Amino acid sequence: MFSRLLLLVLLGLSCLQSFTMAMNANGAAVCCFEFHKRPFPMANVVSYEETRFDCTLPGVILTTKRGYRICADPEVDWVKLIIANKNLAKTQTTN
């Protein structure tokens, strides 16, 4: 009887832990696991964000006018151009 109760309590605790960890995790939505290979038109990019520091691959997530999110390698020249352009646009709108 005691072993069943102990097993039930441990099962409940493990479920609670996994639930709370899932609530705190941002998940794969902010990590890139592969990158878009071909250059993407800068005019179609609305914004960008860097992936989290703990992702296995550092990347940039480009958001398009249609709402698509594209993972890109931040070391590639066309991605650097998009980031520089978006940063320039941000500074121009704040001044």
Side-chain angles (χ1 to χ4, degrees):
M1 179 69 182
F2 178 73
S3 61
R4 282 190 203 169
L5 182 61
L6 181 62
L7 181 62
L8 186 62
V9 169
L10 290 175
L11 181 63
L13 287 175
S14 65
C15 288
L16 181 63
Q17 180 187 8
S18 64
F19 177 73
T20 55
M21 289 179 71
M23 294 295 287
N24 291 331
N26 289 328
V30 291
C31 285
C32 292
F33 298 104
E34 60 182 35
F35 296 129
H36 186 77
K37 303 289 185 213
R38 290 183 270 156
F40 195 79
M42 189 181 314
N44 292 344
V45 177
V46 175
S47 64
Y48 77 94
E49 63 181 297
E50 295 179 10
T51 57
R52 296 185 331 202
F53 70 93
D54 59 340
C55 294
T56 54
L57 290 174
V60 172
I61 301 172
L62 306 173
T63 304
T64 68
K65 289 180 180 178
R66 292 187 175 189
Y68 296 115
R69 295 171 55 106
I70 299 170
C71 282
D73 184 356
E75 299 301 317
V76 177
D77 289 338
W78 65 269
V79 178
K80 289 179 181 178
L81 265 168
I82 290 174
I83 292 171
N85 185 325
K86 295 302 170 190
N87 285 338
L88 180 63
K90 283 181 188 176
T91 57
Q92 289 177 346
T93 57
T94 58
N95 289 335

